[in-house]
Structures are given as C-alpha cells and as structure tokens.
Amino acid sequence: MRHFRKFRFTPLALALSLAGLLPAHAETADVPQMAQGIQIGDLAPGRAIIWSRADRPARMFVEYAYNPQFIDSVLIRGPHATAESDFTARQDLTGLEPGKDVYVKVWFQDLSNARNKSEAVNGKFHTLGKRDNIRFVWGGDIAGQGWGINESFGGMKIYEAMRQVRPQFFIESGDSVYSDGPIPESRVAENGQVWTNLVTPEVSKVAETLNEFRGRYKYNLLDANVRRFNAEVPQIWQWDDHEVVNNWSDAKDLSNDARYTEKNIPTLIARATQAFHEYAPLRPHGAEESERVYRKLSYGKLLDVFVIDMRSYRGPNTANLQTNESLDSAFLGEEQLAWLQEELANSDATWKVISADMPIGLNIGDGQLPDGTPRWEAIANGNHGPAAGRELEIARLLKFIKDARIKNIVWLTADVHYAAAHFYDPAKAASKDFLPFWEFVSGPLNAGSFGPNGTDGTFGPQVVFSKAPPAGQANLSPYAGLQFFGQVDIDQRSRAMTVQLKDLNGAVVFSKTLPAQTGRDRKYAWDRD
C-alpha cells in the first residue's frame, strides 16, 4: 500500500490515486515509452535533479521515499515534456534529508485525452550526511573515434565497473558525445579484430542538425550499462569540444571539410548547446546565463567541487605566445576566473576539487598556422618558458591561490585518452609563483586510446604515472583494455584523499593518498612519489 506524507502533496496524491493516474500496468499498448531511462544529476545538500525523456508529449511524475517499499512517499507532478525539448524533462527534488538512501520512481502521463501512462522506471541514490565518507568517480571521452556500442564486447562495460564501486556521484569530464565522429557498423581494430557497432541514422554522419546532435545523446543511452549506472549514480556534467566539433574556437574553419554542409560554426554551437542542455542532467543556472556550465557543488565540510568551462569563453586557438593577456589569450575568461577565485577563497571545505575539461601542462596541438607555426588547443604552448598566451591566465589563478593560502586543491580532468598523474612542482617550473599541486587524468571511457602527450615546463609538471598505448600505436579500440576511470575516496575522520586510476575491469593501475594540509602545517608540500 502506498502512503503519502500528510504535509506535502496530499491533495494531489489523493486526486491522482482516485483518478487512477499513478503508475500501474499499462492499460493499453499505446503508452508513453521511456527508452532512455532516467538520470540523476547535480546532487547537492538537500536536492538532486531527476531527468528523463518520453517518446511523445507527456507530463513527468516523480515519486520518492527513503525506503524501497515507498512508505510515506512524496509525489511530485513534474513538468511537461514537449517536442520543443525533444520530450526531455527534469525535476529538481528539494528538501531531501541528509545521509539517506533515496528511492525514486519516474513515469510519464500522455497528454492525449486518453492520458495513458508509462511503466515506471526506478532509481536509487544516496544523499551525503555529516558522518559519511565520500567516494566519487570521474572520466570522459565516450563513443569516440568510431568505437561505439559493441554488444558482443559487453557494451560500454566500464560503466558497470564504475557502478560496482558504489560511488556517491560521477563527474562527467567532457566529450560526453562525439558529434564530429561517425560511428560505422563495423571497423577493423588492432590485430585484425573486428569491432561491431550498434548504429542509428543520427550517428552515421557528423552532426549538423539539431536532431543529429540530439541523436548522439540518445545513442549513448542505448547502452544497458549506461542506463543502469544513470539510475543509481548522480552525475555532474561538463563539456568540451566534441559535443560540437573537434577543437572548436573562433579560429575553427570548416570550409575545406567535405563532411559538413553547414559550415557556420556559431550555428553548430547553437544546435549542439541546445542538445547538450536538453540531455545533460544538470541544474539550469538561471535567466542571467541560462546556458552556463561552470558551477560549484558542495558536499559538506569535506568537499567542494568546482566545475569549470574551458570551452565557451576562450579566444581563438593560436600560437598561444602572447606576452600580455587579451581576448585572444582568454581561456576561462575574466568573469569565470573571478568567480572561481572568489569561490575558492570562500570555500570552507577541506578539499577543493577543480573539475577541468582539459589538462594544464600537456601539449595538445591543433595543427599549424599558415606560416607553419604550431597552433595550440589547450593551455600549454610547448615552449617550456615563462607563462605566455593562455598560460598567463592560469599563472594568475595559481598565484591567487598561493597568495590567499588556499590549500588542498586537486585538479581532475580527462580529454587526452589515457591515464596519468602529474605533480606540478614550482621548484622545477619556469613560472614559479604557485603552490605545488596534483592533477589526475582519466579516460577514455569508451573511445580510442592515445598518448602520452608531451609536457610543457612552464608550471613544472612531473609525470609520476602514465598508462597509454605503446610507442607508435594510437587510436586503439576498447579491445586493448586501455580505458580508464578515476576514483576518489575522502575519509571523514582523517580527511585524507585517496585517488585511484582504474582500468576497464576496475583493477587499480595507480593509487595516491594525499593527507589534508591544515592551518597548523608549517609548509605546504605534497610528496610527489
């Protein structure tokens, strides 16, 4: 028997119950379908986003309780799902109790006069409490380079490996789809093996129309591992370039790319942005910047997560050697940088994780300028000298952190399709005015394996660990096993952070425990070994 809290939604729950509108076995065969399952997003104190999609105009309903029997459940009549949003909908659950398992049911009611209702999709997640240890995972780079869903391989089975560690949330570090990478029915992998893909019309070519961009997200949600993971693990999404087109910036030129009939980059950005915000289970920022991706999510006194956007506010990709900051050298942009500095300074959490969509000190190229000068896609410019170009902005951020004496900052990222641990050492840097810090790299989750990239000495990155394809090999399929995710554990008592890099099957390939630096410490230094 279902019960309802007497102080919330009682009239609605009673009316719906009497009208037969709560989910039950389908009364007819023609009912809304929820082929993409549900997603849980942006878990924060007292709240979480619930996302889903119907296959027709419908209204979303969410029921939740703190027990699997749904005793004293809360019922919420959610938003309408219409064609304008590709029938996606999201509901922000608020007032959630801390330290609880939350059980959810989601269904849709048809907007036709028949008002048929879908079968419910169930989910479960945990709200963090004061006495909880923290565990989360991170990774990026999904269905890239034509390595899509191979059901004979087990699909995107790294998602099951991540689910098995029972994380409280997942940071999706960008390249959540590869809109610029067609997925063929099959392709030859290393050692002559054949990789067979599940395919749809929308992934058979580069994405140009709004529906093709939407189709990329629907494609990933065809995978049973992904849907199972999504129903249990809240996610924090950010984006990078492949949600739109490879290495996009104001310098991107598609005039000679025969794959594209739409050559207008701003038009592609607009369509890709709409699709991303329809399918990402993130909490909309607000009317002042409705498409904003950068944000902070707090998890009590142990952890704040700062999600940054290294794509939307950057200047053009150039030789990246400017000696003074300008619009051309911008990477985070002035407004986002000011926000990040203020939030870091005001954070009272022990650990401050900066979730970045690109690494700081790895050389990531973007071809050449007409005169043959290398053009750069990320922060580093390959010259090993004092900060220049986009490095100027990062140098300013790192100096601010040092001057403000902000401790326990760790950078997490993906993008380069291999696993690595970098220790940034001012004693070995060309630009030395910063505190030492760690950066950990994971991925890909289901894409080609590449690397390792060379390092730029501006900020003194020391490669403590990396695992990538052997020399001379690149774009290896998931068959090669070089798919990686990261796991972070923070102990509530000792406040130590342990970072592990794990492979496709969940085996640990690297581990590092960082003690929390406190105000009583005489110096700020972490052992790089």
Side-chain angles (χ1 to χ4, degrees):
M1 180 177 178
R2 181 180 285 105
H3 300 273
F4 299 93
R5 289 186 175 178
K6 294 181 179 179
F7 60 92
R8 289 182 68 190
F9 307 110
T10 301
L12 171 61
L14 179 61
L16 291 173
S17 180
L18 293 174
L21 299 179
L22 294 176
H25 293 294
E27 297 172 2
T28 73
D30 186 22
V31 299
Q33 301 298 309
M34 298 171 62
Q36 287 73 38
I38 66 173
Q39 297 183 90
I40 306 161
D42 279 10
L43 178 68
R47 62 196 313 183
I49 289 285
I50 304 296
W51 175 100
S52 191
R53 179 181 183 271
D55 66 341
R56 68 194 71 189
R59 184 163 210 156
M60 182 188 209
F61 285 83
V62 180
E63 183 182 5
Y64 73 89
Y66 299 110
N67 58 83
Q69 296 78 28
F70 282 81
I71 297 170
D72 294 326
S73 64
V74 175
L75 177 65
I76 300 174
R77 183 175 66 179
H80 293 104
T82 64
E84 287 72 21
S85 64
D86 201 28
F87 308 114
T88 62
R90 73 196 69 213
Q91 176 64 46
D92 201 354
L93 304 186
T94 61
L96 299 176
E97 297 177 16
K100 297 284 189 179
D101 290 336
V102 182
Y103 297 83
V104 297
K105 293 181 182 180
V106 183
W107 66 93
F108 283 91
Q109 181 190 76
D110 200 326
L111 296 188
S112 69
N113 286 336
R115 295 190 179 181
N116 293 323
K117 50 197 175 294
S118 68
E119 296 284 352
V121 174
N122 288 14
K124 174 189 174 184
F125 63 97
H126 183 80
T127 60
L128 286 166
K130 291 181 179 180
R131 295 181 176 85
D132 287 339
N133 298 324
I134 292 178
R135 171 174 291 176
F136 67 92
V137 292
W138 91 92
D141 315 312
I142 304 162
Q145 292 74 48
W147 311 113
I149 301 170
N150 182 347
E151 293 185 318
S152 64
F153 180 68
M156 297 187 189
K157 59 187 182 181
I158 199 169
Y159 277 86
E160 179 61 16
M162 291 194 294
R163 188 183 74 88
Q164 289 292 338
V165 307
R166 301 184 67 181
Q168 288 143 339
F169 61 91
F170 165 63
I171 299 176
E172 212 285 49
S173 303
D175 293 338
S176 51
V177 296
Y178 277 71
S179 298
D180 56 326
I183 299 176
E185 291 185 2
S186 65
R187 61 173 303 179
V188 178
E190 55 280 355
N191 303 318
Q193 301 171 94
V194 176
W195 182 271
T196 303
N197 287 310
L198 186 65
V199 295
T200 65
E202 290 85 359
V203 303
S204 65
K205 61 180 290 293
V206 297
E208 301 178 87
T209 68
L210 176 57
N211 281 335
E212 287 168 349
F213 282 109
R214 288 166 166 169
R216 289 288 168 165
Y217 296 94
K218 282 184 274 195
Y219 177 82
N220 289 356
L221 293 170
L222 291 172
D223 187 89
N225 301 294
V226 172
R227 294 196 307 277
R228 189 182 306 113
F229 180 85
N230 291 351
E232 296 184 14
V233 183
Q235 303 183 51
I236 300 172
W237 278 39
Q238 61 192 139
W239 73 343
D240 193 33
D241 58 330
H242 291 288
E243 286 83 357
V244 183
V245 63
N246 185 46
N247 294 356
W248 66 270
S249 74
D250 282 348
K252 189 68 179 180
D253 182 4
L254 292 174
S255 59
N256 294 321
D257 192 333
R259 302 176 304 164
Y260 286 87
T261 57
E262 176 56 74
K263 307 290 187 179
N264 192 328
I265 295 294
T267 296
L268 294 175
I269 293 171
R271 294 168 181 169
T273 299
Q274 180 174 338
F276 174 82
H277 283 277
E278 288 171 346
Y279 280 84
L282 60 80
R283 183 173 290 106
H285 176 68
E288 70 270 24
E289 192 178 359
S290 60
E291 296 173 350
R292 185 169 126 175
V293 173
Y294 69 87
R295 60 204 188 279
K296 182 185 83 169
L297 293 129
S298 295
Y299 299 97
K301 294 293 186 179
L302 279 183
L303 174 67
D304 282 342
V305 175
F306 302 86
V307 182
I308 60 176
D309 182 354
M310 294 173 150
R311 184 58 56 178
S312 301
Y313 311 101
R314 65 166 61 193
N317 288 356
T318 66
N320 200 23
L321 294 171
Q322 296 91 343
T323 56
N324 294 294
E325 289 190 67
S326 66
L327 292 177
D328 283 346
S329 69
F331 199 61
L332 298 178
E334 196 61 39
E335 186 172 336
Q336 182 180 189
L337 181 62
W339 166 85
L340 181 57
Q341 291 175 338
E342 180 179 7
E343 293 290 351
L344 286 171
N346 291 335
S347 173
D348 61 359
T350 298
W351 291 98
K352 295 92 175 167
V353 164
I354 298 178
S355 176
D357 39 302
M358 303 195 81
I360 296 171
L362 294 182
N363 295 319
I364 303 173
D366 185 26
Q368 296 180 334
L369 297 172
D371 65 0
T373 302
R375 180 169 51 204
W376 298 99
E377 157 70 354
I379 298 164
N381 53 30
N383 73 350
H384 303 287
R390 292 165 174 169
E391 295 170 337
L392 294 167
E393 193 181 80
I394 300 303
R396 183 152 56 100
L397 171 62
L398 296 179
K399 183 180 186 303
F400 172 85
I401 291 169
K402 178 183 176 182
D403 292 346
R405 300 181 181 180
I406 305 170
K407 298 183 177 182
N408 303 319
I409 293 178
V410 172
W411 293 68
L412 303 180
T413 189
D415 183 64
V416 288
H417 296 232
Y418 67 96
H422 304 142
F423 182 69
Y424 286 80
D425 187 349
K428 299 182 179 180
S431 290
K432 301 177 181 297
D433 199 6
F434 66 94
L435 298 173
F437 65 94
W438 284 85
E439 173 188 69
F440 298 96
V441 185
S442 73
L445 296 180
N446 196 93
S449 299
F450 294 87
N453 292 54
T455 58
D456 182 295
T458 297
F459 301 115
Q462 306 300 299
V463 180
V464 178
F465 170 82
S466 72
K467 190 165 186 178
Q473 298 186 36
N475 197 15
L476 301 187
S477 78
Y479 283 143
L482 296 173
Q483 311 282 297
F484 303 100
F485 69 93
Q487 177 180 321
V488 175
D489 287 270
I490 305 175
D491 183 78
Q492 191 271 335
R493 289 190 175 183
S494 70
R495 298 187 173 250
M497 172 186 284
T498 298
V499 182
Q500 296 178 318
L501 297 172
K502 295 188 171 184
D503 68 12
L504 183 64
N505 299 311
V508 178
V509 298
F510 175 81
S511 181
K512 178 66 181 179
T513 296
L514 303 175
Q517 302 282 327
T518 70
R520 295 184 298 273
D521 295 327
R522 294 182 179 180
K523 63 178 181 178
Y524 191 110
W526 278 323
D527 183 3
R528 57 156 288 193
D529 296 325

